[in-house]
Amino acid sequence: MAGLSLGAVMAPSNALAQWQPERPIEFVIQTSPGGGSDIYTRLWLGIIEKYELSPVPFTPVNMPGGAGAVALTYLYSQDGDPHYLTPTLNSIVTTPLQQKIPVMYTSEDLTPVAMMTTDPFLLWVNPEKYKTWEEFHAACKENRLTATGTGARQEDEIQIGLIQEAAGCEPFRYVPQSGGGVVASNVAGGHSDFNVNQPAEALPHFPDKLIPLVVFAKDRHPASPDTPTHWELEIGTENNNEYAELLDLETGLHQVRGLIGPPNMPEDAKAWYDELFKKVFDSAEWQEFMKTNGMLGTYRGSEGYKEFLVTFEDNHVRMMRDVFGWELRDDLRERTGG
């Protein structure tokens, strides 16, 4: 019965979408093999192949460079052709805001296809230095602590900057690293005072060398039920919760995983992809992967993802330019609407 039920759920359907791809779909991955986006993409493609959800194959092509600039420029050049996709991470927002590439706002200049999950941020420290938020907070108000994260002027540094503003800390020193695993090792080894990271990247050092002090969400995380949220600790709740909202998983600037396509993707192609990736999202394999890695499933179709991205992009502009004083591209245009 279980097998029959799964087959019924995963079987391809033409009821909702009449369009069908005419040739293999090129899946352009912004990172090198083995990176986060590469891992997610190959899992999704494995699910599509396993359940025969597509009449044509999906071909993964790694195209790293310029914090996603190379892949985004290439995707933009495929105007109107629905046979190209790119998995998303926050660089689809931060890179176009800082580099002069054809894409400026992904929600307007490319086609949002589907949103698959969000990666929650937790504040991680070595327990030999701090055991509670109160201890950490007292230290950061007295001394200049060292933070580490993945990349410069990307989501880790943005979240760390928000903590600094919300908690009234002395300016943090920020040291970028090549990946989340290296970031976790730096804090576990005592080379940095703290980082923000997803549970999966920190758990190899938990609890002897890494512990979470804060979950940046409204609800406690299932993987760390004893860790208080920033709402419970009242971090950023002054001025009508201004910073608390921006620190939060649902309304803030956390890592988002999804898919985008070229500009002007036909409506029936968007509908086909929506149906396809909702089945991928519902699959046992993806649900288990999210659970194992402490990710929170948040599926949105094309229009829902676009609506989300408009607010997401505006929040990034506000924080990067108006709060942190970072220099954005000098031709940044006013929004045309979602």
Side-chain angles (χ1 to χ4, degrees):
M1 289 293 290
L4 289 173
S5 176
L6 179 63
V9 171
M10 304 304 290
S13 169
N14 293 321
L16 299 181
Q18 298 300 317
W19 179 84
Q20 291 281 310
E22 300 172 355
R23 63 179 190 275
I25 296 163
E26 188 172 310
F27 220 122
V28 182
I29 305 170
Q30 301 175 42
T31 60
S32 300
S37 294
D38 186 71
I39 293 171
Y40 300 137
T41 296
R42 293 177 191 276
L43 175 58
W44 294 336
L45 301 193
I47 294 168
I48 292 170
E49 181 179 1
K50 177 179 179 180
Y51 295 110
E52 300 180 351
L53 299 180
S54 171
V56 300
F58 282 66
T59 305
V61 178
N62 292 90
M63 199 175 292
V70 173
L72 291 174
T73 300
Y74 176 74
L75 193 67
Y76 183 85
S77 71
Q78 312 303 326
D79 192 351
D81 191 336
H83 295 86
Y84 296 86
L85 289 179
T86 292
T88 65
L89 57 166
N90 285 20
S91 60
I92 68 163
V93 174
T94 55
T95 293
L97 292 177
Q98 298 176 85
Q99 298 187 39
K100 283 190 175 182
I101 60 176
V103 178
M104 184 178 295
Y105 294 111
T106 297
S107 62
E108 297 177 5
D109 301 328
L110 296 171
T111 301
V113 172
M115 177 173 164
M116 299 290 280
T117 187
T118 48
D119 277 352
F121 279 132
L122 285 74
L123 174 66
W124 296 89
V125 299
N126 187 316
E128 295 177 3
K129 289 189 176 184
Y130 316 106
K131 290 183 170 58
T132 66
W133 162 255
E134 289 74 18
E135 291 180 5
F136 176 88
H137 193 203
C140 84
K141 292 174 72 174
E142 291 290 330
N143 304 295
R144 191 177 184 193
L145 304 185
T146 299
T148 187
T150 54
R153 296 194 173 185
Q154 301 293 330
E155 63 276 358
D156 288 19
E157 188 173 4
I158 291 172
Q159 188 77 2
I160 286 166
L162 279 169
I163 296 169
Q164 175 185 304
E165 298 290 332
C169 299
E170 289 293 307
F172 297 130
R173 299 183 188 88
Y174 181 75
V175 181
Q177 303 291 346
S178 60
V182 179
V183 167
S185 296
N186 262 261
V187 179
H191 307 296
S192 299
D193 293 304
F194 75 100
N195 74 304
V196 293
N197 217 335
Q198 289 78 40
E201 293 169 323
L203 288 179
H205 305 279
F206 174 83
D208 295 335
K209 293 296 182 180
L210 280 182
I211 60 169
L213 299 184
V214 184
V215 178
F216 295 102
K218 289 183 173 62
D219 300 317
R220 294 194 177 195
H221 196 284
S224 187
D226 296 328
T227 305
T229 71
H230 71 289
W231 291 99
E232 294 175 59
L233 297 168
E234 299 184 348
I235 303 171
T237 55
E238 297 83 4
N239 300 320
N240 296 318
N241 300 325
E242 178 183 15
Y243 285 121
E245 293 287 349
L246 288 167
L247 285 166
D248 190 81
L249 177 65
E250 295 183 5
T251 54
L253 309 177
H254 290 220
Q255 184 73 272
V256 176
R257 307 287 184 177
L259 306 107
I260 54 174
N264 302 309
M265 183 180 285
E267 290 298 322
D268 52 358
K270 291 194 290 185
W272 187 83
Y273 281 122
D274 186 8
E275 184 177 352
L276 171 69
F277 281 101
K278 183 60 168 66
K279 290 175 180 176
V280 174
F281 177 86
D282 289 335
S283 69
E285 291 85 351
W286 180 241
Q287 291 293 318
E288 180 61 28
F289 182 86
M290 289 192 294
K291 180 180 178 181
T292 301
N293 290 278
M295 303 158 71
L296 300 179
T298 308
Y299 184 84
R300 297 174 188 258
S302 180
E303 291 307 310
Y305 192 21
K306 178 175 181 176
E307 181 180 356
F308 170 88
L309 279 175
V310 170
T311 301
F312 200 56
E313 290 160 346
D314 289 346
N315 283 343
H316 274 81
V317 171
R318 176 183 165 207
M319 294 311 304
M320 295 167 73
R321 182 186 64 191
D322 302 336
V323 176
F324 301 154
W326 295 352
E327 184 177 344
L328 303 185
R329 55 193 293 173
D330 58 17
D331 62 341
L332 193 68
R333 68 177 182 262
E334 293 298 320
R335 296 305 302 254
T336 61

